[in-house]
Amino acid sequence: MKSYLKMDFYRMLTSKYFGIGILGVVGVYGLSLMQLKSQDVYLLNYYIKFYSTYMLLLIFGAVAYSNAMMEDLEYKNYYLQIQKGSFGKYIWSKVITAFISAVIVMVLGTSIFCLMAHFKMPLLSPDNDMLEYLADGDYLSQLITPETIFWYLIADAAMTGLMAGIFSVFAMWLSLFVKNQMFTVMVPIVGFYFFVNYFTRIFGENDYFKLNVIYISNGKIFEKSFSCFCYALFVAVAIAAITGKLIYSKMHNDIWGDRNVGSK
């Protein structure tokens, strides 16, 4: 598995889509800065979650490696990768890399924007009248201080990255059926709409099943911050693992329905 992960991470980090994802995140924040009136980066980060531009963050977060499996099928790259190796390790390495890449893109993109925006506006203004009200319902509130606000924004970006990771793996699975790059780019928007609306219809008004509550730090499901983080991580890994199993089954049928190219 180590050799597969090393190869996939190198491919991801050197891909143009990795850079596009990071620049896209920076660009979305920059666009929001021009459109939304905010006295500091903290408020801007809060406002953006309630506008359609938040969908763009998910798109750029998921774009780095979601097309990897489709490209391997198109160019038959998987033959060499699994001929003398393990089909299972090949699949799960792709899934893990796609998931983690979304978190990395969100964290790096947010970090770059914060460093750039800091020259124009404070990360946290001392005159922020809404601070006490907003921080009260935020499970990362202990980081909302002038000294630690940067780490709050990074932690919050990582939570968004977990949700983008879900959609990145989901897009990877769907790309095996609809081999169109633009389609996979749009998956986060469709996926977000599906999870938010249809999960509500299935499970009712239960915050435990709402991604827009779980992965927004202002959505406080549990009293303890650590419990909120662990639950968010558990949900993301569980959904990614289930989707990864679907990818495994689809790729298995596509490859071994054609020829035997390696060990299973």
Side-chain angles (χ1 to χ4, degrees), residues 19-20 23 40 64 74-75 85 94 139 154 179 210 216 260:
I20 290 173
L23 292 177
D40 56 29
E74 182 179 355
Y75 299 107
K94 290 284 188 296
Y139 61 78
I154 297 306
K179 297 177 175 61
K210 292 182 177 181
I216 294 179
N260 194 345

Side-chain angles (χ1 to χ4, degrees), residues 22 47 54 72 77 79 85 99 108 117 139 145 155 157 161 175 177 181 223 237 239 246 250:
I22 294 175
Y47 289 149
Y54 187 69
D72 280 2
N77 294 335
Y79 283 127
F99 181 80
L108 288 180
Y139 61 78
T145 67
S175 72
F177 296 91
Q181 192 169 357
E223 286 298 322
V237 172
I239 295 177
L246 295 175
K250 174 61 177 173

Side-chain angles (χ1 to χ4, degrees), residues 152-180:
Y152 166 85
L153 294 169
I154 297 306
D156 190 65
M159 298 298 289
T160 302
L162 288 177
M163 180 157 60
I166 293 173
F167 295 132
S168 180
V169 178
F170 195 62
M172 179 175 281
W173 173 57
L174 291 179
S175 72
L176 302 178
F177 296 91
V178 184
K179 297 177 175 61
N180 183 289

